[in-house]
């Protein structure tokens, strides 16, 4: 579903489903643009984790380290908590209700909903990153940005 290919030093071609985008890595930031050069998603390293922004610099999520997992927030609300459980990760809402799980197979991960149905599979990232991707599943570009970011940093 998501592929990232290096075209030149620090410049990438990103494909999400059938659409193509451009990615650029500079220092501790990643920027994804459309074919016209409009910024769509930015991801920046922070001391506490990372932030994902839309093209107008509005924060989509903040991912803060929380032990071996992350606490995922928008500007005001905790959206999810990611905690290590066995060989995978459990994603819960702020109230503690399980919203998904990520099961690990080396560098291959499978994201499942609470009933156990597979949502997606991803390779080449760690389990925490796969869990963040599950939280962002409805925003494919943000998901691509996080995947791309975690491959580079």
């Amino acid at each position: 579903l998501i592929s990232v290919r290096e075209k030149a030093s620090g410049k990438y071609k990103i494909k999400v489903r059938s659409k193509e985008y451009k990615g650029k890595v500079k220092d501790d930031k990643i920027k994804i643009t459309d074919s016209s050069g409009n910024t769509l998603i930015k991801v920046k390293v922070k001391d506490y984790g990372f932030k994902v922004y839309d093209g107008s610099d509005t924060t989509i999520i903040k991912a803060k380290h929380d032990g071996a997992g992350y606490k995922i927030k928008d500007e005001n609300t905790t959206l999810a908590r990611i905690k290590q459980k066995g060989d995978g990760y459990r994603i819960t809402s702020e109230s503690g209700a399980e919203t998904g799980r990520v099961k690990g197979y080396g560098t291959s991960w499978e994201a499942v909903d609470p009933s156990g149905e597979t949502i997606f599979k991803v390779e080449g990232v760690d389990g925490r990153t796969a869990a963040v991707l599950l939280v962002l599943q409805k925003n494919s570009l943000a998901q691509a940005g996080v995947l791309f970011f975690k491959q580079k940093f």
Side-chain angles (χ1 to χ4, degrees), residues 70-150:
Y70 283 115
K71 183 177 184 178
I72 308 294
K73 297 180 79 170
D74 63 14
E75 279 301 314
N76 303 312
T77 309
T78 298
L79 303 173
R81 290 184 182 272
I82 297 168
K83 297 281 184 188
Q84 191 166 12
K85 184 175 181 183
D87 63 351
Y89 290 82
R90 181 174 182 246
I91 298 92
T92 60
S93 65
E94 183 62 10
S95 69
E98 184 174 294
T99 59
R101 292 183 312 275
V102 174
K103 299 188 271 187
Y105 307 100
T107 59
S108 296
W109 297 87
E110 179 180 17
V112 297
D113 68 15
S115 70
E117 186 175 331
T118 298
I119 299 168
F120 66 83
K121 294 180 181 182
V122 63
E123 294 185 358
V125 297
D126 63 28
R128 273 194 318 192
T129 302
V132 172
L133 297 178
L134 178 56
V135 173
L136 288 170
Q137 69 179 327
K138 292 184 175 129
N139 188 326
S140 295
L141 271 178
Q143 199 178 43
V146 169
L147 178 59
F148 184 21
F149 174 80
K150 295 303 280 182

Side-chain angles (χ1 to χ4, degrees), residues 20-22 33-40:
E20 291 186 5
Y21 304 93
K22 295 177 184 176
T33 59
D34 62 17
S35 58
S36 300
N38 299 312
T39 300
L40 303 172

Side-chain angles (χ1 to χ4, degrees), residues 6-12 24-25:
E6 189 164 13
K7 301 303 276 178
S9 181
K11 296 186 179 188
Y12 297 81
K24 185 176 181 182
V25 177

Side-chain angles (χ1 to χ4, degrees), residues 43-72:
V43 184
K44 295 180 184 177
V45 174
K46 300 291 183 179
D47 290 340
Y48 55 79
F50 61 92
K51 269 186 161 181
V52 180
Y53 302 87
D54 67 14
S56 61
D57 279 339
T58 301
T59 302
I60 296 173
I61 65 159
K62 290 189 258 186
K64 292 186 173 189
H65 297 292
D66 187 18
Y70 283 115
K71 183 177 184 178
I72 308 294

